Structures are given as structure tokens and as C-alpha cells.
Amino acid sequence: MVARMPHSCPRKRRTGRPRSVETDRAILDAARAALVDLGWGRFTMGDVAARAGVAKTTLYRRWAHKNELVVDAVAVLFDELELPDRGSLQADIEGVVLQFGRLLERPETKAALMAVVAESTTDAALRERIRTAIVDRQMRLVVLGRERAQERGELPPDPPDHDGARAAAETVGLIFDVIAGTVVHRTLVSAEPVDTVWARRLATILLEGLAGLD
Amino acid sequence: MVARMPHSCPRKRRTGRPRSVETDRAILDAARAALVDLGWGRFTMGDVAARAGVAKTTLYRRWAHKNELVVDAVAVLFDELELPDRGSLQADIEGVVLQFGRLLERPETKAALMAVVAESTTDAALRERIRTAIVDRQMRLVVLGRERAQERGELPPDPPDHDGARAAAETVGLIFDVIAGTVVHRTLVSAEPVDTVWARRLATILLEGLAGLD
Amino acid sequence: MVARMPHSCPRKRRTGRPRSVETDRAILDAARAALVDLGWGRFTMGDVAARAGVAKTTLYRRWAHKNELVVDAVAVLFDELELPDRGSLQADIEGVVLQFGRLLERPETKAALMAVVAESTTDAALRERIRTAIVDRQMRLVVLGRERAQERGELPPDPPDHDGARAAAETVGLIFDVIAGTVVHRTLVSAEPVDTVWARRLATILLEGLAGLD
Amino acid sequence: MVARMPHSCPRKRRTGRPRSVETDRAILDAARAALVDLGWGRFTMGDVAARAGVAKTTLYRRWAHKNELVVDAVAVLFDELELPDRGSLQADIEGVVLQFGRLLERPETKAALMAVVAESTTDAALRERIRTAIVDRQMRLVVLGRERAQERGELPPDPPDHDGARAAAETVGLIFDVIAGTVVHRTLVSAEPVDTVWARRLATILLEGLAGLD
DNA sequence: TCGTAACCGAGACGGTACGTCTCGTCTTGGA
DNA sequence: TCCAAGACGAGACGTACCGTCTCGGTTACGA
């Protein structure tokens, strides 16, 4: 078997016919379309192959399991995440919340995200893939907003010593869990929209809460 | 097809052999055991039937799909949720967080919860079943903690008019999304434990944040 | 368990509620109707019970297996077999052939007969039941026709000794196999009708053939 | 669905992995073995698959129903039918009768033949398959014996005109129904063996009967 | 320019679970 | 004791997907 990741090792193989990049794109597009049409439950590798005009073999040459394909298919949506500087920490938090909300309200994300997270509870490799492909892309925004707030003086700078760094990392993790978790819960469990009013209330809670944290 | 819910209509059928309550229990117990051993992904109706010493038919007579069976099997765990009065809102919130955390760290819950939530995105009936069987049981604790705080005077009483009631409901919903969502994210995505220190920090954020919400 | 044959032991049980004779009739009628509608392949005990307005239990109280029920249901049709004296052996043979043909062209017979014969290859009890309920009723006609021909002097009388009787029995068996077998094959395998022209030709062959048998 | 017949269209598909001929053979062998061991009633697709070391899917890819599989499995036995020239029509008829008898006394044939004939009463496609796979192979022997007898001058040649040909075909059909039907009835219903004495008597009846036919 | 290595489509394959069906038995309550 | 209703254990059914394999054939590099 050859490397089962798209273009993973750029300097490995040189001979033979190279994999088609168009095919990669077609498959990921087909996968997202299939998620929209069928949801995760009836999502089928065979169906994706048919949509992409490709053989099943071609899929399995690139992804070992359908959950990995879905992670990659959804991951590109999280590349779009960006955080324009809105001038204040409050506004930036609202921005992050709205960005997350918008992404989770897309049918392909909604259908797939919790499914792969569920499978990741018994599959460490999948969990790692989700982290690098999706979670880290979200976390970036939280880290970025925090750095901006520190530059603006809205938050104190990170202490330089080891313990301080660890405490800062834990705080970032907590904030991230609050933002991402709350938005996910709102969207998938409560099944209600993430609008600007709601985003403002959540941002307010977080901001005030962080101020009182210590 | 006959009613596919255990004991759904108490006054409907009177003739024929009644369904065995022991069988119900055996199936739900077997389902939880199967979740622990296999996780959601390899969870099988046939396996549950075998564990329960029961025919597959008997399962399908009661539950149309395996996700509904799993919801009911997991739901009884959420019956155990209770909130002893710890004397302060801060302590009560910590209590709720810890209760949720303890429940989500159980292997049967961890494996199943996100899976059924994922399927519920394309299945309204399942979503409703999850709400009544699981979500409402969690929400109860949040409502209870809030009422206690209002009795203690830590929180203002609900305004009696219609708009006030709606606003209160929305606030409860927000708090619930924050608590449940954050705990779920911590447990399943960040894959880290919910301990007392973390619970205290989350409770602090919430308490301070709510104070500033106005 | 009680006797599993309809009214088999006339002097056995006296206590308790007696079995309804109407029910017997309703079941056999329903069974024939089911055979007509569904054929043997989709014939179901549950369906027969529903048609008869009767519980499945009631069927199984009378017949141990569905093939036995079907034998009895079809058997009553063979009670109708009779052979009016047409004045000559040739005419009587034609009559037998036509009677058999008419019976085998009925949809309930066509669907069921070969099916139960097929099952009888691995079930001696069923084979016996078929013999007494169906085969003997057919054989009667052949025996009757032969006796009439002997009375008319068209056939020599049976020799009184033991060997002669056995030879006569074997000849009757052969004739019966020819008539019944040929009609069945014509009807079910060749799938063509048994009309008077065909019956005359078969009767002629038999008559001439028997004359030359010695 | 794809063609559900083994190698049905020799010039159709060229792409994709071709079906394994070994697998075909293994399945048919397994089917015959299963018939011998279990009879038709307990014959199972799953069991055949297991015996053949093959997945159930592989069976259903080739045969839509178990009765079609059984027809094909049994059909190859009828390929062995052959009629050595025994020098006279009487001897040749005896030969045909004995051949049929020998085949029908094999356990796989006995168990299966009537079962599929029974199902063919409500399934035209199956009836056609039986005709080409089994009936025609038997009929061949009757036609062959007749041609030999005509060459020997024991029977008059077929008249060349249309009506004569039709009459000849009908006569062949009648003879075939008599031979095959009588042997089947002897074997399956009367459940007695087809030995040389019995064969001689049946052949005599036929020969004399045909002579007197017109 | 030619070989070779990897690509690609189509589809057969072993395996496994699905959800349904029917069988024949058992368990109610009522007649 | 019989009956209608229907739950029950057992197990085959035919389908759907999984992920692998085997074909015939194509495409790009490098020797």
C-alpha cells in the first residue's frame, strides 16, 4: 500500500503516474455534496465515487476510511475562518462566535462534525486528524483574538515563565471550550440559530467572566 | 406495525400477551453494556439481542432504529442527575458542571451521545426523543440551581410579565448551552477531564459573566 | 398437548369447550383461498388465520405444520371425484383423465400439490397423509373403472390366488401412475390443458397398451 | 442490478473484474451437496454460501432466487442423459425410462425437482428456465429414440406437410408426458423404485398403445 | 523511445449488519 | 377447555456498504 494521504510526502515517489489533483478536488466536492443531500447516516463511499465520476478504489487510495475523507472534506470549510480586527475584544469575540455559528449551520458541517467526533472517541488517529484539520483552525481565531486584546492592552500579557505559560494555555483552552462548545450545543442540541443578539450576550458573559477570573 | 415504543399507550391494547417488562430492562442493560464494550461504531442490534438473551425481533418490536434504543438506554443514566444544595450559586454551578462531566466521562455516554446527536441533525423524531429523554433531564438541574439562587437572593426574581418570562427562558437556555456545551467540548473534543479546579474556573466565569449581563 | 388432527379421536375428551366445526370449515376455506391468491410460496399460516378470523393458535391446535393443513384443505376437493358409468372402458378412462385434469387445473391444487409432494420426499408422515387424503381418493376411480370393465367382460377377472392378486395390484399401480403422472406432467410441466381430444388419445394408448401387456 | 445469470451475455461487459468460473462451480457443487444433506425444505442460501466458501452476496449476484440456483445446480445432472442404441424401439424406450428413473432417484433431484416445479406454477420465468435447463434435456432422448425407430422402419416417417409436423410434435409431447410423468409419479408419489421389470412393462404399454393410436 | 511504476474505471469479492418475515410456541384475559 | 390477540425465540431472507481485489487500460517520468 502507498501513502494514504493526499500529497502527504512531497519528496517521496517520483516515478509512475502522479495522482490527479482535479480528482482530489472532485472527490472532496462530491463528499460535501453527499453530506448535504444525505447526511452522515446515509453517506456512502460508493455514492461519493459515483458523484465524483471516479472509482471507489481511487477514494481508498487516498483515504483509509470514510470518516477521514469526511474530515478532510469538511476541513477546507474551516480554512475560510478569519477574524477581521473589529477594534475591541468584545467585538472580536462576537466575531468568533458568529464565524463558528455560520460554519456549524451549514448542512455539511452540521451533519458530519458530531459524527466524526463521536467516532473519534474510539479512534485516536481520527481524533488527531480532527484536531489538526479542524480544531486547530478554530483555536487559531481564539488565540489571535487574545493576542490582539493583549496588544490593545485589554488583556495583560502572558507571563514569561513556564508556569505562567501553562496557565495561559489552560485559559485559552477553557475559553475555546466555552465558545466552541456553546455554539455547537446551541446549533446541534438546542437547534436554534446563532444570531448577533445571542452572540453579543455570549461574548458579554465571556468578557465579564474572564475579567473576574482572577 | 404496532406501537414501537415501550409501553407508550397505557390504555390502548388490552388483549394479547403483554410485553415483558423484564425484557425491556434486559435489553436496555445489554445495550449499555454493548456501548461500553464496543462503542457506537461496532454496536449491533444482533449483539444487544444476544446479550439480552432475546430475539432481534423483540428489539425491533420496541425500537424502530438503533439510535432510538441507544437514546433510551443512555437516558436512564441521566435520571440519576441530582443537585444537592451546596449553599451558594457558585457551589451549585460547580456541582452541575461536575455532574455533567461525570456523566459524559462514562464510556457508554461518551460513545453514544454525540453519535445520536449527529443523527438527530437529519431526523426530527430522534431530536425530539433526545430532548425529552436527555436534554430536559439536564436542563432541570440548571433551572433548579437558578431557582435556589433566586430564593437565596443571589439572583433577581423572574419578572411576572410575558416578555420578562421569555427573556428569563432565553437566559436559562444560554446558561444551559454554555454549561452543557462547554463540558461536552472539554470531554469529547479536547479529551480532557472535568475536575474540580476546572469546574471552579468555569463556574466563576459564568457567575461573573451573568452578573455583567444586566 | 392434545390430539393434533381434526376430530381424530371421537371418544377421547369430553370436558372443556368443544372445538367449533365452523372454525374447521372456515380455516380450510381460508387456506384454499390463500392458495388461490398467493400460491404455495407466499402462503402463510398467519395469513390463513387472518382470513379465517381466527388466531394462529387455533390453527396449530389442529395441524402441526402448514403442509398438513394444505393437504387437508386440498383433499376435500378430491372428495368430489366420481366416475359415472359411461358404458365402456375407453370412455371410463377418458372420464378419469378428464376428472384428474379438471382438478389439477384449479389454481389451489396446481399451486399446492407438487409442493407438498416435494416436502413429502423428506417427511414420511406427510407422505402417508397425502396418500390417504389424496392419492387413495384418486386411485379409487382407477380401481372402480377396472372393476366395471371386469363386470362388462372387457377385462379378465382377477385370479383368486395370492400371486395373481399381487400382480393385479401392481398393474393397477402402474395404470394409476400412468394416468395420474401423465396428467400431472401435462398440467404442471408442459403447462398445457387436458381437453377431450388429448384425453381420448391417452385413453387409447392405455387401452391398447394394456391389451398387449399379456 | 446487473445480469443475474452466470455468463449470460458473452459479448456484453468487458470492463471490471470478471466473475470467477471456479466460484460458479463451487456454488453449484455446494448447492447439490446441500440438497443431498438437507433436502429442499432446509436448503439455505447462507448454507450454500458457507459450503462454497463464498459470501451470500456472490450467490445473489448470479441468481435472484434460490429456486433458480437449484434449477441450474440440478440441470447439470440432466446433461449426463444419453441413450445408447439398444437395437429396437422397445429396448430404447426401456432405456429412456431407466435413465429418467435413475436420475429421479438421486436424492438431490428427488428433493428439488418437484419443489421448483411447484414454484413454477406461479412464476413464468422459472417455468421457462426449467424448460430449457431440464425438460428439453429430457425431451431430447424421446426425440432421439423416435428418430432411431423411424430409421429402423419401426415407426413411419413424419409426414412432410405442416399439419403432419404438428401432429408429430403433439405425439412426441404426449409420449414425453407419459414417460416422464409416469416415472415421476412412480418415484415421488408411489415412492417405489424404477427397476427393469417395471420399465419393461411401461415400455410395452407405450409401444402397443402407440401402435393402436391410429 | 521505451519501460516501468503508479495511476484509473469498473466491478467482483468476502464479510457483516441491517431490518423484515415466517415459523411454531407461549402467555394473557375473556367466553 | 377453548378462543383471539399478540409477544416471543429462532433463524432465513434479500439488501446495503464496507474495504479489498483483480481486471484491462492509461499516463507521466526517467533511462
Side-chain angles (χ1 to χ4, degrees):
Chain A
M1 197 207 304
V2 207
R4 239 155 171 185
M5 256 186 190
H7 325 302
S8 50
C9 303
R11 211 161 300 283
K12 228 5 172 344
R13 295 165 289 93
R14 282 167 310 180
T15 79
R17 176 175 171 180
R19 288 192 185 150
S20 160
V21 186
E22 289 175 40
T23 299
D24 280 14
R25 261 193 53 80
I27 293 171
L28 292 174
D29 290 351
R32 274 189 302 277
L35 280 174
V36 172
D37 291 356
L38 310 169
W40 165 265
R42 293 187 294 177
F43 178 95
T44 304
M45 292 300 257
D47 180 85
V48 173
R51 282 169 193 261
V54 142
K56 270 198 304 171
T57 326
T58 305
L59 268 65
Y60 283 107
R61 229 172 258 127
R62 292 162 160 81
W63 294 277
H65 300 289
K66 76 170 185 172
N67 49 35
E68 299 186 357
L69 164 58
V70 167
V71 170
D72 284 5
V74 171
V76 306
L77 300 177
F78 286 79
D79 275 332
E80 302 167 5
L81 285 176
E82 55 183 30
L83 189 62
D85 191 334
R86 297 176 165 216
S88 74
L89 180 54
Q90 164 89 25
D92 278 1
I93 293 178
E94 286 178 33
V96 172
V97 169
L98 286 169
Q99 290 257 337
F100 284 8
R102 220 163 287 145
L103 216 46
L104 282 170
E105 279 163 355
R106 296 186 66 145
E108 52 270 51
T109 321
K110 194 184 293 202
L113 201 57
M114 282 305 96
V116 293
V117 166
E119 299 218 340
S120 77
T121 60
T122 53
D123 181 344
L126 182 61
R127 187 158 53 244
E128 189 50 33
R129 195 175 196 118
I130 292 172
R131 181 186 307 280
T132 62
I134 295 180
V135 175
D136 284 352
R137 281 176 169 81
Q138 294 181 288
M139 182 94 80
R140 244 187 32 218
L141 264 60
V142 174
V143 171
L144 179 62
R146 184 180 147 87
E147 286 171 356
R148 279 197 200 134
Q150 288 174 325
E151 288 168 13
R152 287 190 206 103
E154 291 172 299
L155 290 177
D158 286 353
D161 61 331
H162 180 264
D163 277 11
R166 215 193 50 184
E170 276 180 16
T171 299
V172 170
L174 176 56
I175 297 170
F176 177 55
D177 283 335
V178 172
I179 295 180
T182 305
V183 170
V184 166
H185 204 267
R186 168 86 171 177
T187 309
L188 299 184
V189 180
S190 301
E192 290 186 52
V194 172
D195 54 30
T196 52
V197 174
W198 188 85
R200 179 167 310 128
R201 301 188 81 206
L202 177 55
T204 302
I205 287 181
L206 246 182
L207 201 57
E208 300 288 332
L210 286 174
L213 198 53
D214 45 323
Chain B
M1 199 209 304
V2 206
R4 241 161 171 177
M5 250 186 197
H7 324 304
S8 49
C9 305
R11 209 162 300 283
K12 215 31 164 329
R13 295 165 291 92
R14 281 166 310 181
T15 81
R17 177 176 173 178
R19 291 196 183 148
S20 160
V21 186
E22 288 175 41
T23 299
D24 280 14
R25 258 192 56 80
I27 293 171
L28 293 175
D29 290 351
R32 273 190 303 278
L35 280 175
V36 173
D37 291 357
L38 310 171
W40 165 266
R42 292 187 296 177
F43 179 95
T44 309
M45 292 300 255
D47 180 85
V48 173
R51 283 169 192 260
V54 144
K56 268 197 304 170
T57 327
T58 304
L59 268 66
Y60 284 108
R61 225 171 261 127
R62 292 163 160 79
W63 295 277
H65 301 290
K66 75 172 184 172
N67 50 33
E68 299 185 358
L69 164 58
V70 166
V71 170
D72 285 5
V74 170
V76 306
L77 300 176
F78 287 78
D79 275 333
E80 302 168 5
L81 284 176
E82 55 182 32
L83 188 61
D85 191 334
R86 298 174 165 217
S88 74
L89 180 53
Q90 164 88 25
D92 277 1
I93 293 178
E94 286 179 33
V96 172
V97 169
L98 286 169
Q99 289 255 340
F100 284 8
R102 218 164 288 145
L103 216 46
L104 283 169
E105 279 164 353
R106 296 184 67 146
E108 53 269 52
T109 322
K110 192 185 295 200
L113 202 57
M114 283 305 97
V116 295
V117 167
E119 300 217 339
S120 78
T121 59
T122 52
D123 180 343
L126 181 61
R127 187 159 51 246
E128 187 53 30
R129 196 175 196 119
I130 291 173
R131 181 187 307 280
T132 62
I134 295 179
V135 175
D136 285 353
R137 281 177 170 80
Q138 293 180 288
M139 181 96 77
R140 243 186 34 218
L141 264 61
V142 173
V143 172
L144 178 62
R146 183 180 145 88
E147 287 170 357
R148 278 196 199 135
Q150 288 174 325
E151 288 168 12
R152 288 191 207 104
E154 291 173 297
L155 290 178
D158 286 352
D161 61 333
H162 180 264
D163 277 11
R166 216 192 50 182
E170 274 180 19
T171 300
V172 169
L174 176 56
I175 297 169
F176 177 54
D177 284 335
V178 172
I179 296 179
T182 305
V183 170
V184 166
H185 204 266
R186 169 86 171 177
T187 309
L188 298 184
V189 180
S190 301
E192 291 187 53
V194 172
D195 55 30
T196 52
V197 174
W198 188 85
R200 178 166 309 127
R201 302 188 79 207
L202 176 54
T204 303
I205 287 180
L206 246 181
L207 201 58
E208 299 288 333
L210 287 174
L213 200 54
D214 58 324
Chain C
M1 199 204 304
V2 207
R4 242 162 172 178
M5 257 185 190
H7 324 302
S8 50
C9 303
R11 209 164 301 282
K12 226 16 171 335
R13 296 164 289 94
R14 281 169 310 182
T15 78
R17 176 172 169 181
R19 288 192 185 149
S20 159
V21 186
E22 289 175 40
T23 300
D24 279 15
R25 262 192 53 81
I27 292 171
L28 292 175
D29 290 350
R32 273 191 302 278
L35 280 175
V36 173
D37 291 356
L38 309 170
W40 166 265
R42 293 186 296 178
F43 178 94
T44 302
M45 292 300 257
D47 180 84
V48 173
R51 281 169 194 261
V54 142
K56 272 197 304 169
T57 326
T58 305
L59 268 66
Y60 283 106
R61 230 173 256 128
R62 292 163 160 81
W63 294 276
H65 300 289
K66 75 171 186 172
N67 49 34
E68 301 185 357
L69 164 59
V70 167
V71 170
D72 285 4
V74 171
V76 305
L77 300 176
F78 287 78
D79 275 334
E80 303 168 6
L81 283 177
E82 55 182 30
L83 187 61
D85 190 335
R86 298 176 164 216
S88 74
L89 180 53
Q90 164 89 26
D92 277 1
I93 295 177
E94 287 179 32
V96 173
V97 169
L98 286 169
Q99 290 257 337
F100 284 7
R102 219 164 287 144
L103 216 46
L104 283 169
E105 279 164 353
R106 296 185 66 145
E108 52 270 52
T109 321
K110 193 185 295 201
L113 201 57
M114 282 305 97
V116 293
V117 167
E119 298 218 339
S120 77
T121 60
T122 53
D123 181 343
L126 181 60
R127 187 160 51 245
E128 189 50 32
R129 195 176 196 119
I130 291 172
R131 180 185 308 279
T132 61
I134 295 179
V135 176
D136 284 353
R137 281 177 169 79
Q138 294 181 288
M139 181 96 78
R140 242 187 34 218
L141 264 60
V142 174
V143 172
L144 179 61
R146 183 179 147 87
E147 287 170 356
R148 278 199 199 132
Q150 288 173 326
E151 288 167 11
R152 287 191 207 101
E154 291 173 299
L155 290 179
D158 286 353
D161 61 332
H162 180 263
D163 277 11
R166 216 193 49 184
E170 274 180 20
T171 300
V172 170
L174 176 57
I175 297 169
F176 177 55
D177 283 336
V178 173
I179 296 180
T182 305
V183 171
V184 166
H185 204 268
R186 168 85 170 175
T187 310
L188 298 183
V189 180
S190 301
E192 290 186 54
V194 172
D195 54 30
T196 53
V197 173
W198 187 85
R200 179 167 309 129
R201 303 189 78 206
L202 176 55
T204 304
I205 286 180
L206 246 182
L207 202 57
E208 300 287 333
L210 287 175
L213 200 52
D214 55 323
Chain D
M1 198 209 304
V2 205
R4 243 160 170 178
M5 251 186 196
H7 324 303
S8 48
C9 304
R11 209 162 301 283
K12 216 32 168 324
R13 293 166 291 93
R14 283 166 308 179
T15 81
R17 177 175 172 178
R19 290 197 183 149
S20 161
V21 186
E22 288 175 41
T23 298
D24 279 14
R25 259 192 56 80
I27 293 172
L28 292 174
D29 290 350
R32 273 189 303 276
L35 280 174
V36 173
D37 291 358
L38 309 170
W40 166 266
R42 292 187 295 176
F43 179 95
T44 310
M45 292 299 254
D47 179 85
V48 173
R51 282 169 193 261
V54 144
K56 265 197 304 170
T57 327
T58 304
L59 269 68
Y60 284 106
R61 225 170 263 127
R62 291 163 162 79
W63 295 278
H65 302 290
K66 76 171 183 172
N67 50 34
E68 300 185 357
L69 164 58
V70 166
V71 170
D72 285 4
V74 170
V76 306
L77 300 176
F78 287 79
D79 275 332
E80 302 168 6
L81 285 176
E82 53 183 32
L83 188 61
D85 190 334
R86 297 174 165 217
S88 73
L89 179 53
Q90 164 89 25
D92 277 1
I93 295 178
E94 287 179 33
V96 173
V97 169
L98 287 169
Q99 290 257 337
F100 284 8
R102 218 164 288 143
L103 216 45
L104 283 170
E105 279 164 354
R106 296 184 66 146
E108 53 270 50
T109 321
K110 192 184 295 202
L113 202 58
M114 282 305 96
V116 294
V117 167
E119 300 218 338
S120 78
T121 59
T122 52
D123 181 343
L126 181 61
R127 187 158 52 245
E128 188 51 31
R129 198 178 195 118
I130 291 172
R131 180 185 307 279
T132 61
I134 295 178
V135 176
D136 285 352
R137 282 177 169 81
Q138 294 180 288
M139 182 95 78
R140 243 186 33 219
L141 264 61
V142 174
V143 172
L144 178 61
R146 184 178 145 88
E147 287 171 357
R148 278 196 200 137
Q150 287 173 327
E151 288 169 11
R152 289 191 205 102
E154 291 173 298
L155 290 178
D158 286 352
D161 62 330
H162 181 264
D163 277 11
R166 216 193 50 183
E170 274 180 19
T171 300
V172 170
L174 176 56
I175 298 168
F176 178 55
D177 283 336
V178 172
I179 297 179
T182 305
V183 170
V184 167
H185 203 266
R186 168 85 171 178
T187 310
L188 299 183
V189 179
S190 302
E192 289 186 54
V194 172
D195 54 30
T196 51
V197 174
W198 188 86
R200 179 167 310 127
R201 302 188 79 205
L202 176 55
T204 303
I205 287 180
L206 248 180
L207 201 56
E208 299 288 332
L210 286 174
L213 199 52
D214 45 322

